[in-house]
């Protein structure tokens, strides 16, 4: 019963409100954030918090932020992922530098990984550790060439139903909606302009990462700051104290 209640709450379903209307409002918020991020067309993002995260993530040229709903091939608007709190895009596979700490446990292939970090240089993980689940983390990072690089960066307000509930579902597709996250492994072609029409070679040249895996891990905190740098070198505060500031 408690699990059912938690799933309904995080999926914005309640007796006193119309779920369809709640989702219309919510997806509009996500799409508004995507539009703002796309209009800025940032070159890179800088993540920092008191836990020790200090990470710069370069974005591919002509990247696209997405989130919320989309139109199917039949023209019908739908939300493919419920619950969802993220707007996301494609980092450049060679453009990630610095250190990032996890803020939620990661359930990978039935193994719980806790309190872990990654150090990136020129896009590749060059150092990592975990207080629990090190071998599982090692198997992820060393799975293939692409599993040691990022394929996604996602922004999520710290003030979200899953975050506020403070429950670990032990299911990444649920838990990822609790906090800003990154993903090791494959990128999404739809996150670069005209990406779905590009060849594999063209996508790789654009900066897309290829891998057999795509594993999200949470990095958001209530004190997370994110500074975006545009093509002219101007810095814009995107996140302050864990929430959108733009």
């Amino acid at each position: 019963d408690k699990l059912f209640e938690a799933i309904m709450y995080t999926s914005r379903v309640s007796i006193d409100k119309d779920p369809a209307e709640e989702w219309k409002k919510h997806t509009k918020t996500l799409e508004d954030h995507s539009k703002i991020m796309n209009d800025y067309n940032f070159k890179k993002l800088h993540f920092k918090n008191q836990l020790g995260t200090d990470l710069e993530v370069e974005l591919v040229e002509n990247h696209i932020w997405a989130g919320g709903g989309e139109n199917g091939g039949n023209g019908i608007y739908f939300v493919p992922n419920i619950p969802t709190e993220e707007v996301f895009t494609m980092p450049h596979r060679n453009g990630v530098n610095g250190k990032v700490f996890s803020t939620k446990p990661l359930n990978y292939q039935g193994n719980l990984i806790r309190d872990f970090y990654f150090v990136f240089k020129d896009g590749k993980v060059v150092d990592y550790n975990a207080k629990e689940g090190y071998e599982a983390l090692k198997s992820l990072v060393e799975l293939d060439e692409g599993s040691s690089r990022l394929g996604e960066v996602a922004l999520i307000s710290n003030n979200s139903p899953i975050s506020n509930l403070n429950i670990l579902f032990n299911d990444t597709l649920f838990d990822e909606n609790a906090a800003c996250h990154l993903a090791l492994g494959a990128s999404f072609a739809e996150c670069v302009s005209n990406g779905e029409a590009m060849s594999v070679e063209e996508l790789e040249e654009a900066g897309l990462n290829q891998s057999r895996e795509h594993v999200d891990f949470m990095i958001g905190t209530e004190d997370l700051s994110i500074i975006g740098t545009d093509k002219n070198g101007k810095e814009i505060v995107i996140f302050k104290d864990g929430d959108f500031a733009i």
Side-chain angles (χ1 to χ4, degrees):
D1 288 345
K2 287 186 178 295
L3 176 60
F4 180 83
E5 290 172 7
I7 290 173
M8 292 299 100
Y9 173 76
T10 55
S11 299
R12 301 173 186 266
V13 177
S14 63
I15 294 174
D16 58 335
K17 294 180 180 179
D18 180 351
E21 288 302 315
E22 291 299 300
W23 274 94
K24 285 178 183 177
K25 289 189 291 186
H26 180 50
T27 54
K28 185 178 186 307
T29 297
L30 295 178
E31 288 157 12
D32 287 348
H33 283 145
S34 293
K35 184 179 186 306
I36 290 169
M37 295 298 291
N38 285 324
D39 287 346
Y40 273 112
N41 191 26
F42 290 111
K43 183 176 182 180
K44 65 178 180 179
L45 309 179
H46 188 185
F47 296 78
K48 290 189 75 172
N49 65 18
Q50 292 184 3
L51 193 62
T53 290
D54 189 349
L55 186 76
E56 287 196 346
V57 178
E58 181 184 343
L59 305 178
V60 298
E61 192 171 354
N62 297 320
H63 62 272
I64 296 172
W65 288 90
E70 59 186 71
N71 288 310
N74 56 4
I76 295 176
Y77 180 85
F78 73 109
V79 181
N81 185 21
I82 294 178
T84 185
E85 303 291 333
E86 66 181 324
V87 296
F88 59 93
T89 195
M90 186 193 299
H92 195 290
R93 68 186 304 274
N94 299 322
V96 183
N97 289 281
K99 190 171 188 176
V100 61
F101 286 85
S102 69
T103 54
K104 302 276 185 185
L106 170 63
N107 191 329
Y108 179 62
Q109 296 185 341
N111 299 291
L112 210 58
I113 308 170
R114 298 182 184 271
D115 299 326
F116 57 97
Y117 70 81
F118 297 110
V119 177
F120 290 86
K121 181 174 175 54
D122 298 329
K124 186 177 178 66
V125 173
V126 294
D127 186 28
Y128 59 94
N129 207 342
K131 288 186 179 178
E132 181 182 329
Y134 173 81
E135 289 302 321
L137 189 66
K138 184 173 186 285
S139 69
L140 167 60
V141 172
E142 298 183 1
L143 178 71
D144 57 31
E145 169 60 23
S147 67
S148 63
R149 299 176 184 271
L150 292 186
E152 178 190 0
V153 53
L155 307 186
I156 295 172
S157 170
N158 188 60
N159 182 27
S160 69
I162 294 181
S163 177
N164 295 337
L165 203 57
N166 200 30
I167 287 177
L168 185 69
F169 288 88
N170 282 328
D171 185 298
T172 300
L173 289 179
F174 241 90
D175 292 331
E176 69 171 6
N177 289 292
C180 288
H181 59 265
L182 305 171
L184 290 173
S187 300
F188 303 123
E190 62 264 32
C191 287
V192 63
S193 180
N194 203 38
E196 291 176 306
M198 290 183 182
S199 66
V200 172
E201 292 75 19
E202 289 171 328
L203 286 166
E204 287 183 340
E205 187 176 344
L208 174 137
N209 191 41
Q210 300 258 29
S211 175
R212 288 177 289 156
E213 269 291 14
H214 178 95
V215 177
D216 301 281
F217 62 95
M218 282 60 78
I219 66 168
T221 57
E222 62 183 13
D223 70 329
L224 180 69
S225 75
I226 306 174
I227 306 295
T229 302
D230 68 15
K231 296 293 180 66
N232 299 316
K234 184 179 180 181
E235 295 186 342
I236 307 292
V237 177
I238 301 171
F239 260 55
K240 182 180 180 182
D241 297 328
D243 286 310
F244 278 97
I246 57 174

